[in-house]
Amino acid sequence: MKKFLQSLVLLLTVLSAATVAKADYVQLADGVYQDGTTLYIGGYVTSLGDLQVNPSVIYCYSAIPPTCVSNTFTDYGAALHVPSAAMVSYFSAQYWNYFNNIIADAISPRYVVFDKFTAELELGETMELTPTVYPPDATPTTIYWLSTNTAVATVYDGLVTAVGAGECDIIAACADKQAYCHVTVLPERVTITIDCHEARLLPNHTLKLNATCSPYAVDLAVTSSNPAVALPRLVNGTIMVVGIAEGTATITVNAADGWGNPDQCEVTVYTELGDVNSDGFVNIADVTSVIDYLLGDDTALTNADNADVNSDGTINIADVTELIDFLLNGYWPWEDPGDEHEWVDLGLPSGTLWATCNIGADSPEEYGEYFAWGETEPKEYYDWSTYKWCNGSKNTLTKYCTNSNYGTVDNKTELEPEDDAAYVNWGPSWRMPTLEQYKELLSKCYCIWSSNGFHVMGPNGNTLFLPNAGNRLNESINGVESCGRYWSRTLDNGSRTDRAYYLAFTSNAKLTTVISRDYGHSVRAVRVSQD
């Protein structure tokens, strides 16, 4: 029975010593710490100085009593715990000998160590920290917990809670020893939401996705699970997805730094509906082929699947009607028509409808963005070294080349939709003008230059304004307020395949001419119609 009681007392003593303290733990001097009415003096401390403290309990781990002054302690009624081997020294040392209750049981903690030294937490996340005191029989083994920034993370009995983005240290202190864990609380993940999660897309057509961020705006990154099927790109904050080839791809939008909750859109790219003669385009020839088929020519359709444009299971006059509507409107009923951009009908013989502002602008007077010919995004530096369709010089062209002296010949003389800044930025209802459309604008309209831009009046009295936005070369913007430079989608039809046609106007000239493709020019779009 006696042994049982002794064991019980020992157990209660251990449990009491292991209690985690919650009082304020402060440093008074080097190696000297106080928690409430308990004072801890480290084993390496040799002098205490003018502390003016009145603790109820003191643990002094020094084998040689530290030098004191008359007002180190304001009272000597505390229980003084000292190393057993040094007890005699404390009884005889000046000022220490004033204490009446000297106890020879102070065993200094040599170190305190955590089970981890660094940690990353998300907002609201918690973790447990476990400190180890060595030696285990140190007196006392009470642990005091502190956070160097409670606006970042708090700690209670070893439970750390992330409350705000930033960094801080979580400290576990035992007497004069401390363990540190550096905690980084990551900022709140931004949630990305896109306005479309499933879409069908034709090859060489563009799907526009709009993304919102909550609770704060971030730069975005967009990827495709299969770029050979659907290729996304960011254009002035809007996500444009170009259909490349038949198949399915997942478009993922996330924060550029990866610290977000992403959103996805499943894109199915299907064969060019309406391209019944398999020439890669949908045009009046496809209408003719369907009509010939309906009149009895079974060989008229190279691709019969694409002739059933309304998907009713049969090829009939309704498919002809939808094909004609597509050619007139420039989009299928399920596609984004891009009608949020305004246009004006000038009464031109061709019926061309001109956009009322530049690509990248919100009003007719704004300059908008500048594009190199065949590129769909603005950039900081314009010359051949940054041009997309060459290998660093005008003699190494990789696309739109008709002369081997300038690169690889492909005989393409007009921008394809995926390289058309109007098509990519505004959608399939828009294209960059052809050379002929610019010539018609100049020949059929009344045009006046002013210091702020080019004023055009059409045959029907409607007007169009093109600002003097100048152009860009290298890092410079040149000619602002004195000239306008507007790309066409037509390559130089001469031997200089490194050049393309553009509309130029100044105070004394208005003309279409050619210039090096690496220049940055404005783009004024036209509505798609059957050319």
Side-chain angles (χ1 to χ4, degrees):
M1 184 66 177
K2 182 178 180 180
K3 289 185 177 180
F4 170 76
L5 291 175
Q6 289 175 336
S7 298
L8 180 60
V9 170
L10 178 62
L11 175 62
L12 292 174
T13 302
V14 171
L15 291 175
S16 175
T19 301
V20 177
K22 305 173 183 63
D24 292 333
Y25 178 85
V26 296
Q27 183 174 12
L28 302 181
D30 184 23
V32 181
Y33 299 85
Q34 185 171 12
D35 173 60
T37 59
T38 302
L39 184 70
Y40 301 96
I41 303 169
Y44 60 88
V45 176
T46 60
S47 178
L48 290 178
D50 184 12
L51 294 181
Q52 299 187 45
V53 291
N54 181 22
S56 60
V57 179
I58 301 173
Y59 287 90
C60 186
Y61 301 109
S62 177
I64 300 175
T67 301
C68 297
V69 296
S70 60
N71 56 353
T72 298
F73 304 105
T74 60
D75 187 86
Y76 296 92
L80 174 60
H81 297 260
V82 300
S84 58
M87 188 170 182
V88 174
S89 298
Y90 281 87
F91 273 126
S92 60
Q94 187 178 16
Y95 298 114
W96 294 105
N97 57 8
Y98 292 177
F99 287 94
N100 296 319
N101 187 13
I102 301 179
I103 305 165
D105 66 351
I107 301 175
S108 173
R110 295 185 185 177
Y111 62 79
V112 184
V113 64
F114 275 136
D115 54 336
K116 56 176 69 72
F117 300 106
T118 62
E120 280 190 348
L121 299 176
E122 295 189 32
L123 285 174
E125 189 178 359
T126 62
M127 72 169 181
E128 288 279 358
L129 281 176
T130 302
T132 298
V133 179
Y134 182 82
D137 59 348
T139 56
T141 56
T142 305
I143 298 296
Y144 298 91
W145 293 95
L146 301 96
S147 169
T148 58
N149 190 343
T150 55
V152 174
T154 61
V155 60
Y156 183 83
D157 288 6
L159 180 66
V160 181
T161 302
V163 296
E167 298 182 30
C168 70
D169 287 327
I170 300 299
I171 303 171
C174 180
D176 63 326
K177 301 298 189 293
Q178 296 91 31
Y180 293 83
C181 178
H182 189 73
V183 174
T184 300
V185 178
L186 301 170
E188 183 176 359
R189 286 182 183 267
V190 65
T191 297
I192 314 297
T193 304
I194 54 178
D195 57 356
C196 177
H197 296 95
E198 188 174 353
R200 298 173 70 237
L201 187 63
L202 295 169
N204 297 320
H205 282 62
T206 301
L207 169 71
K208 182 174 71 174
L209 299 175
N210 295 303
T212 57
C213 304
S214 178
Y216 54 90
V218 296
D219 292 334
L220 298 176
V222 57
T223 58
S224 172
S225 64
N226 194 344
V229 170
L231 185 63
R233 62 180 61 180
L234 279 169
V235 181
N236 296 330
T238 300
I239 302 154
M240 308 299 291
V241 183
V242 178
I244 303 299
E246 190 172 6
T248 301
T250 300
I251 306 301
T252 301
V253 185
N254 199 359
D257 61 4
W259 192 246
N261 298 311
D263 203 1
Q264 294 181 327
C265 178
E266 296 293 327
V267 175
T268 300
V269 179
Y270 55 97
T271 54
E272 186 76 16
L273 192 64
D275 181 16
V276 300
N277 58 11
S278 299
D279 64 353
F281 300 94
V282 180
N283 50 33
I284 196 65
D286 298 297
V287 176
T288 302
S289 295
V290 177
I291 293 174
D292 289 344
Y293 172 79
L294 295 176
L295 293 176
D297 184 1
D298 292 337
T299 66
L301 303 181
T302 304
N303 191 330
D305 290 338
N306 286 341
D308 183 16
V309 295
N310 60 9
S311 301
D312 64 357
T314 61
I315 301 172
N316 50 38
I317 194 65
D319 298 301
V320 175
T321 300
E322 290 221 13
L323 264 174
I324 293 173
D325 287 343
F326 172 78
L327 296 177
L328 292 175
N329 297 324
Y331 58 91
W332 301 106
W334 55 85
E335 290 187 313
D336 176 13
D339 285 342
E340 70 273 17
H341 301 290
E342 296 181 354
W343 68 88
V344 60
D345 182 358
L346 297 173
L348 297 169
S350 68
T352 298
L353 305 175
W354 285 83
T356 58
C357 63
N358 291 347
I359 301 294
D362 295 321
S363 67
E365 295 78 19
E366 291 183 18
Y367 294 157
E369 304 287 2
Y370 300 83
F371 302 87
W373 192 81
E375 295 185 1
T376 58
E377 297 180 5
K379 54 189 179 182
E380 296 298 323
Y381 196 89
Y382 292 79
D383 74 353
W384 289 111
S385 70
T386 64
Y387 185 60
K388 180 177 181 180
W389 300 117
C390 76
N391 289 322
S393 70
K394 67 179 182 180
N395 299 318
T396 59
L397 296 175
T398 58
K399 193 173 184 180
Y400 306 108
C401 182
T402 60
N403 185 336
S404 60
N405 291 327
Y406 289 91
T408 304
V409 173
D410 57 10
N411 290 317
K412 296 179 186 290
T413 59
E414 188 170 292
L415 290 177
E416 296 178 338
E418 62 267 29
D419 303 322
D420 185 309
Y423 184 98
V424 170
N425 285 278
W426 281 11
S429 296
W430 298 94
R431 294 296 303 272
M432 291 167 61
T434 62
L435 172 62
E436 295 305 315
Q437 286 172 320
Y438 274 136
K439 287 182 175 180
E440 181 187 55
L441 188 74
L442 295 178
S443 64
K444 301 297 183 181
C445 297
Y446 180 70
C447 305
I448 300 176
W449 183 90
S450 69
S451 59
N452 60 344
F454 198 54
H455 302 263
V456 179
M457 178 181 290
N460 62 3
N462 290 336
T463 61
L464 179 72
F465 176 75
L466 294 91
N468 286 328
N471 63 7
R472 295 202 55 183
L473 182 62
N474 300 329
E475 298 176 340
S476 303
I477 301 178
N478 306 303
V480 171
E481 297 184 355
S482 65
C483 67
R485 301 285 187 265
Y486 288 77
W487 280 125
S488 78
R489 66 176 190 252
T490 307
L491 189 69
D492 185 353
N493 57 17
S495 61
R496 290 290 303 276
T497 193
D498 62 320
R499 304 184 302 187
Y501 280 98
Y502 72 108
L503 170 67
F505 50 81
T506 64
S507 59
N508 55 14
K510 57 181 188 295
L511 71 159
T512 56
T513 184
V514 290
I515 199 170
S516 180
R517 289 157 50 174
D518 61 329
Y519 273 69
H521 285 185
S522 304
V523 172
R524 179 61 63 93
V526 295
R527 290 277 293 181
V528 171
S529 62
Q530 184 61 32
D531 298 328

